[in-house]
Amino acid sequence: MLKQTQICGCFYCQKIFSSSELQVEDFIPEQDGEETVWCPYCGIDSVIGEQSGYALTPEFLARMNQYWFYSKD
Ligand SMILES: [Zn+2]
């Protein structure tokens, strides 16, 4: 993933940015072949790219943020 420049969004800090802003060190290979991408703004591995099929709007990131970080009970 994220081999080509694409729009990325972080659903922790809810920043929307271009993958061209990412550094090589931000990509962490996982054992399953996927890559975890660390957000360059908040340092949390909560980045998704537009190739995931989601529309990366501020509203969507806000919903994801709510779901992942505030709906744990
Ligand atoms: Zn972030």
Side-chain angles (χ1 to χ4, degrees):
M1 79 188 241
L2 300 186
K3 292 289 188 275
Q4 300 160 317
T5 299
Q6 60 175 302
I7 302 300
C8 299
C10 171
F11 55 84
Y12 184 74
C13 66
Q14 299 174 48
K15 275 257 188 199
I16 296 173
F17 52 93
S18 166
S19 63
S20 64
E21 293 182 46
L22 294 167
Q23 308 297 312
V24 177
E25 314 88 80
D26 293 326
F27 292 81
I28 313 297
E30 302 280 352
Q31 289 177 346
D32 61 6
E34 297 290 319
E35 281 173 321
T36 294
V37 183
W38 295 90
C39 173
Y41 293 96
C42 68
I44 303 285
D45 58 337
S46 300
V47 175
I48 55 174
E50 62 182 340
Q51 286 178 356
S52 61
Y54 294 107
L56 296 179
T57 62
E59 292 77 18
F60 172 74
L61 292 176
R63 279 220 314 278
M64 289 289 282
N65 181 283
Q66 285 282 329
Y67 181 79
W68 285 103
F69 299 109
Y70 297 104
S71 304
K72 296 290 188 183
D73 50 39

